[in-house]
């Protein structure tokens, strides 16, 4: 998992609208620095032995750099994102790329933030709702993929996608920021029998949980020393990168990479 990734590019990245609390049209990213940050993320994935596939961004799609919202992919099947209106123009490009690369592609019948609200962890599919994903998507995803769906709701738009509040380290381990989740959702996580790493506010607010882990190497944002130290103590290789410009659009390391090799639940027929 997380060893076969789809990335776009930051060529057209800019703040043209405001659809999350981090976006501010009066605070535009430095285009050269954003390109450098994005290229460093791709290079780090390759250095970790991951495959990085690329999809050219479109001028009319300034947020296309955040490929994680374009779809959720598992077991060679893809459910397209159904994002806020400002990002709908991205979706036909994801549809075309996925079809051309021989994935079975499905439309989302309800609002859906793609991989941003769908995190595979072994037999579980952690699924956000209430912000950018309609809870009715959970039944659709469960029927299509067969995972045990775990509904999780964040407390505010500050955590507009689940992958800002929860990170999968490996199939047995999650990192999360407890105050970002509603009480009932925190209880659901604790009942799963997984090992949970609690992450403090400073690291979480720096987008520390918006990371990519293949169970051996964790690629994450710079500026989250506590979580980085905990992961290194567990024997993981941690690569931390500058995401200052990319975060101006509300996205971090994980937002820029769509995982193509999510497995189906253990024991499921292929």
């Amino acid at each position: 998992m997380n060893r076969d990734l789809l990335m776009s590019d930051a060529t057209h990245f800019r703040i043209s609208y405001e659809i999350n609390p981090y976006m501010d049209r009066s605070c535009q990213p430095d285009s050269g620095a954003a390109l450098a940050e994005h290229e460093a993320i791709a290079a780090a994935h390759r250095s970790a032995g991951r495959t990085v596939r690329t999809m050219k961004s479109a001028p009319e799609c300034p947020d296309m750099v955040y490929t994680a919202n374009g779809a959720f992919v598992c077991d060679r099947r893809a459910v397209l994102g159904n994002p806020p209106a400002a990002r709908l123009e991205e979706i036909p490009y994801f549809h075309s790329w996925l079809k051309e690369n021989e994935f079975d592609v499905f439309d989302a019948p309800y609002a859906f933030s793609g991989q941003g609200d769908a995190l595979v962890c072994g037999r579980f599919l952690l699924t956000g709702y209430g912000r950018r994903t309609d809870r009715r998507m959970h039944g659709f995803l469960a029927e299509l993929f067969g995972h045990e769906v775990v509904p999780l709701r964040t407390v505010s738009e500050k955590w507009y996608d689940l992958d800002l509040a929860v990170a999968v380290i490996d199939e047995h381990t999650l990192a999360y920021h407890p105050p970002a989740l509603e009480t009932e959702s925190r209880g659901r996580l604790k009942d799963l029998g997984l090992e949970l790493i609690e992450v403090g506010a400073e690291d979480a607010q720096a987008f520390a949980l918006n990371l990519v882990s293949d169970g051996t190497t964790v690629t994450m944002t710079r500026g989250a020393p506590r979580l980085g130290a905990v992961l290194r103590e567990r024997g993981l290789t941690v690569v931390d990168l500058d995401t200052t410009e990319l975060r101006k659009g509300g996205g971090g390391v994980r937002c820029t990479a769509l995982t193509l090799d999510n497995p189906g639940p253990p024991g499921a027929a292929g």
Side-chain angles (χ1 to χ4, degrees):
M1 185 173 68
N2 292 324
R3 300 195 66 84
D4 191 357
L5 306 171
L6 174 64
M7 298 183 70
S8 184
D9 57 70
T11 304
H12 304 292
F13 174 53
R14 62 191 181 279
I15 312 301
S16 297
Y17 40 76
E18 297 173 6
I19 57 172
N20 67 56
Y22 306 98
M23 303 178 90
D24 181 350
R25 280 175 289 184
S26 69
C27 183
Q28 291 294 324
D30 179 285
S31 58
L35 283 167
E37 288 176 5
H38 189 266
E39 289 168 2
I41 293 171
H45 290 317
R46 294 188 180 101
S47 293
R50 301 167 186 156
T51 297
V52 177
R53 306 177 193 275
T54 58
M55 177 177 66
K56 188 175 177 60
S57 68
E60 72 274 20
C61 299
D63 274 350
M64 205 164 167
V65 66
Y66 304 128
T67 56
N69 298 119
F72 169 68
V73 182
C74 177
D75 200 19
R76 299 297 303 177
R77 288 169 288 178
V79 178
L80 294 169
N82 188 353
R87 294 189 63 181
L88 278 173
E89 288 183 290
E90 300 173 25
I91 302 305
Y93 293 101
F94 284 94
H95 182 274
S96 295
W97 191 94
L98 290 161
K99 277 289 191 182
E100 289 169 5
N101 286 273
E102 301 182 337
F103 289 85
D104 293 328
V105 181
F106 300 83
D107 291 321
Y110 309 105
F112 181 45
S113 203
Q115 182 180 276
D117 271 336
L119 288 71
V120 173
C121 185
R123 66 186 176 95
F124 301 112
L125 181 61
L126 312 179
T127 47
Y129 73 97
R131 305 298 165 198
R132 290 197 182 177
T133 294
D134 190 306
R135 188 162 180 173
R136 290 174 291 180
M137 278 299 300
H138 296 182
F140 180 85
L141 295 170
E143 183 174 353
L144 183 61
F145 297 113
H147 293 84
E148 181 178 336
V149 166
V150 182
L152 301 172
R153 182 181 171 95
T154 58
V155 297
S156 72
E157 286 294 327
K158 182 177 181 178
W159 317 100
Y160 65 90
D161 273 353
L162 185 63
D163 66 2
L164 297 177
V166 179
V168 178
I169 306 303
D170 59 39
E171 63 180 3
H172 307 293
T173 312
L174 299 174
Y176 79 122
H177 180 50
L181 298 175
E182 292 188 344
T183 302
E184 186 178 357
S185 295
R186 292 200 302 270
R188 288 195 183 106
L189 273 190
K190 291 178 179 178
D191 289 342
L192 297 181
L194 301 172
E195 186 172 3
L196 301 178
I197 301 170
E198 294 192 8
V199 175
E202 184 178 353
D203 281 12
Q205 289 168 7
F207 285 23
L209 291 162
N210 196 247
L211 57 78
V212 174
S213 174
D214 56 29
T216 300
T217 299
V218 177
T219 311
M220 61 183 290
T221 190
R222 187 168 297 154
R226 293 175 180 84
L227 178 57
V230 168
L231 296 175
R232 289 185 177 99
E233 287 171 1
R234 290 166 172 263
L236 293 161
T237 299
V238 176
V239 180
D240 55 356
L241 302 166
D242 184 15
T243 58
T244 302
E245 301 306 312
L246 292 170
R247 281 163 52 191
K248 290 177 179 177
V253 171
R254 180 177 168 84
C255 286
T256 63
L258 176 64
T259 298
L260 300 175
D261 61 344
N262 282 310

